[in-house]
Amino acid sequence: MASRAFATLLAVLAVVGFASVPRGLATDPTQLQDFCVADNNHPVLVNGVVCKNPNVVNANDFFFHIVPVAPNAQGSAVTPVAVAQIPGLNTLGISLARIDFVPGGQNPPHTHPRGSEILTVIQGTLLVGFVTSNQLLNNTLFTKQLHAGDVFVFPQGLIHFQLNNGRTPAVAIAALSSQNPGTITIANAVFGAKPPILDVILARAFMLDRATVDRLQQAFGGAAPVAVGGGYPGYPGRN
Ligand code: MN
């Protein structure tokens, strides 16, 4: 009958549609056992870390005590608590960081390639923001003034920052959706790359003159490339 054939067709379409939905929606793969405590000294490298024998796992494999470090030149101190600090986080897909800010201090623009971040302000005030990609809303800034108790989300991979624009120290806890979210600090990665990215590339990319780029490269610890006679390939005479 036509109606039965139609019902069968609908069922087939439903199965095909379901099968095409991506299974891996989480950032990190889901675990296949209660835990897989990282053996951080194991010579075998896998995507994640090899499991320790569960018979020798103890509570300390799931424990870490945060001791905030001194603020950096930006006036902030990030203490990561990821799989390198807590081996028990291996395969669990989560981690966190404590961020301390002096008044006026900032956590400069950076991105986490493998995790979204949800940040809670514990103390003080923070001006935070993230920028969308070129494709979505064409580099729109989403920014918000936060106070103690406020929570803000930075979607995975997007460039974001936090500034303590208050007169007292600020503290925040950031939870991340990866055991190893990674951090790319934009200025350090671009101007502090070792060996350095050719200054002519950065000068054009950032619409700066080469002397300014060289100064930035020295400030970020990537020595400026030494100009040689004949210039760079593709840039004859510009040395
Ligand atoms: Mn972050």
Side-chain angles (χ1 to χ4, degrees), residues 107 110 112 117 160 162:
N107 189 11
H110 65 278
H112 305 292
E117 172 177 338
H160 59 281
Q162 299 107 20

Side-chain angles (χ1 to χ4, degrees), residues 64-72 76-81 97-101 123 170-173:
F64 184 74
H65 181 76
I66 295 176
V67 180
V69 294
N72 58 24
S76 69
V78 178
T79 310
V81 186
R98 170 176 165 145
I99 316 166
D100 289 77
F101 303 82
Q123 177 191 322
V171 180
I173 300 288

Side-chain angles (χ1 to χ4, degrees), residues 63-190:
F63 171 83
F64 184 74
H65 181 76
I66 295 176
V67 180
V69 294
N72 58 24
Q74 301 278 338
S76 69
V78 178
T79 310
V81 186
V83 71
Q85 288 75 32
I86 299 189
L89 281 176
N90 193 36
T91 76
L92 297 186
I94 56 168
S95 60
L96 65 77
R98 170 176 165 145
I99 316 166
D100 289 77
F101 303 82
V102 302
Q106 67 163 342
N107 189 11
H110 65 278
T111 164
H112 305 292
R114 292 177 293 278
S116 293
E117 172 177 338
I118 180 164
L119 176 132
T120 305
V121 182
I122 303 298
Q123 177 191 322
T125 61
L126 292 177
L127 178 70
V128 304
F130 69 81
V131 180
T132 65
S133 64
N134 299 358
Q135 288 73 31
L136 182 70
L137 303 179
N138 196 23
N139 306 129
T140 299
L141 171 66
F142 288 76
T143 185
K144 182 97 179 149
Q145 178 68 53
L146 303 184
H147 304 274
D150 289 347
V151 177
F152 198 79
V153 172
F154 306 102
Q156 178 170 349
L158 300 188
I159 294 174
H160 59 281
F161 60 84
Q162 299 107 20
L163 165 72
N164 178 3
N165 56 352
R167 295 175 185 277
T168 60
V171 180
I173 300 288
L176 294 128
S177 62
S178 170
Q179 68 177 37
N180 184 27
T183 298
I184 299 168
T185 305
I186 308 306
N188 300 62
V190 172

